[in-house]
Amino acid sequence: METNPDVVVIGGGPAGISAAAWCVDLELSAVLIEEGETTGGQLLSINNPIVNYAGLEAADGREFAAFLHKWLEQFAFRRMLGTRVELIEAEPLLVRTEAGEEFRPSAVILATGVSRRKLGLPGEDELVGEGILRSGAGEREEAKGKHVIIIGGGDAAIENALILSEHAKRVTVVHRSRDFRARPEFLERAKTAGNVEFITERYVTSIRGEDRFEGVDVVGPDGASVSIEADLLLIRIGFRPNSELLRGLTELDVSGYVKVDANSATSVPMIYACGDVANHISPTISTAAGMGATAAKAIAARLAERKKFRKFE
Ligand SMILES: Cc1cc2nc3c(=O)[nH]c(=O)nc-3n(C[C@H](O)[C@H](O)[C@H](O)COP(=O)(O)OP(=O)(O)OC[C@H]3O[C@@H](n4cnc5c(N)ncnc54)[C@H](O)[C@@H]3O)c2cc1C
């Protein structure tokens, strides 16, 4: 078992997959570590068609992931699935998995993506599948004739309000501020849908229901609490970068995204980051795959330079 590969790639979404494949193509040994039971990352939960990746279309994210898996078969690198990385150290580089396996690679590529932001309220995890929806598009049938609350004010919240309004009796969008970040055309369509209402400047303070979701309590600027009863809840309040492994090690921006240069290099030598975890401006499959390739190429160049230098030592 190789414990000193050239590169350890953490995360098996489009960025990590691309990085690992490029490492092999550049004759670098690579180990890819993915927490999930299969690679694909966010692709595995995308229900919309993928039509914006150059030259390749898919009916949904799972089909796109299947294309990537097929393509990946030709690249020989160790894949560790169902394995979470819990620690990265610098100088010397060390990567440790939750199971205690340690690697001392020449470079690390962090490609851990983003996770959906949570409200942090009791019931939020427990009632998923019991009235709290995972996906508006994927579970739209469940909304037939029901009252759905959607929390959030960005594209995802309003797009889901539009999707669910076609099936639900009533959709209530609860948003913490007065202004919406969502595209004006989404908002316009939602406002004219007839069964979508907006409650703004209200914070959700609790999720009600013991074994099944029953409603939420919201508080406004005057401090008064109001209960809203509903059958279903969808929470779409944005994403947070999975950058904890680099916290205190490399530079992060105020939102926790990893700061990288044009080579996907972080502020610490031989630690690279690519994909959504280092890119809040244009989080797409194309950019993730591109940044993965960039990181692998930059590492290959650095290691070749090092070898050349050593010859003269
Ligand atoms: C609903 C939705 C629709 C979208 N539609 C499109 C679209 O049409 N076109 C488009 O281009 N993009 C789309 N995207 C965005 C696209 O999916 C992302 O930009 C892309 O998946 C980012 O890839 P990534 O590899 O950076 O991260 P991710 O896909 O998030 O993968 C990160 C991986 O890292 C793993 N991981 C995290 N922490 C650890 C750890 N400590 N140890 C081991 N593994 C870890 C995770 O399990 C995950 O598999 C969509 C996203 C969503 C949510």
Side-chain angles (χ1 to χ4, degrees), residues 116 123-125 127-144 146-150 160 163-164 168 171 212-213 231-236:
R116 286 198 188 282
E124 190 171 11
D125 292 329
L127 297 178
V128 170
E130 299 299 333
I132 298 189
L133 301 173
R134 288 182 185 85
S135 156
E139 295 171 283
R140 63 181 89 191
E141 293 298 322
E142 233 195 274
K144 248 181 208 153
K146 305 238 172 90
H147 177 202
V148 188
I149 293 175
I150 298 180
N160 276 293
I163 293 168
L164 292 172
V171 175
R212 185 153 183 95
F213 171 74
D231 306 294
L232 299 171
L233 175 70
L234 182 69
I235 302 163
R236 285 293 178 266

Side-chain angles (χ1 to χ4, degrees), residues 115-224:
S115 298
R116 286 198 188 282
R117 239 177 236 292
K118 291 185 178 184
L119 294 167
L121 295 172
E124 190 171 11
D125 292 329
E126 297 82 347
L127 297 178
V128 170
E130 299 299 333
I132 298 189
L133 301 173
R134 288 182 185 85
S135 156
E139 295 171 283
R140 63 181 89 191
E141 293 298 322
E142 233 195 274
K144 248 181 208 153
K146 305 238 172 90
H147 177 202
V148 188
I149 293 175
I150 298 180
I151 304 183
D155 276 349
I158 308 304
E159 194 176 13
N160 276 293
L162 286 171
I163 293 168
L164 292 172
S165 69
E166 288 174 17
H167 304 265
K169 181 175 68 187
R170 187 172 151 213
V171 175
T172 303
V173 177
V174 179
H175 184 37
R176 63 182 176 173
S177 63
R178 196 159 32 146
D179 303 317
F180 286 85
R181 291 184 318 277
R183 285 174 232 185
E185 65 263 31
F186 282 179
L187 273 172
E188 218 35 63
R189 280 172 51 206
K191 279 178 188 160
T192 53
N195 59 347
V196 180
E197 63 181 349
F198 295 89
I199 297 181
T200 57
E201 294 180 275
R202 294 286 183 280
Y203 278 90
V204 178
T205 51
S206 59
I207 295 174
R208 290 192 290 108
E210 286 294 314
D211 303 319
R212 185 153 183 95
F213 171 74
E214 289 172 5
V216 295
D217 294 328
V218 298
V219 168
D222 58 359

Side-chain angles (χ1 to χ4, degrees), residues 11 13-15 34-35 41-42 46 48 52 83 85 111-113 275-276 283-285:
E34 164 57 48
E35 184 179 8
Q42 290 172 62
I46 297 180
N48 55 275
N52 38 28
T83 307
V85 170
T112 43
D276 286 11
T284 68
I285 305 167

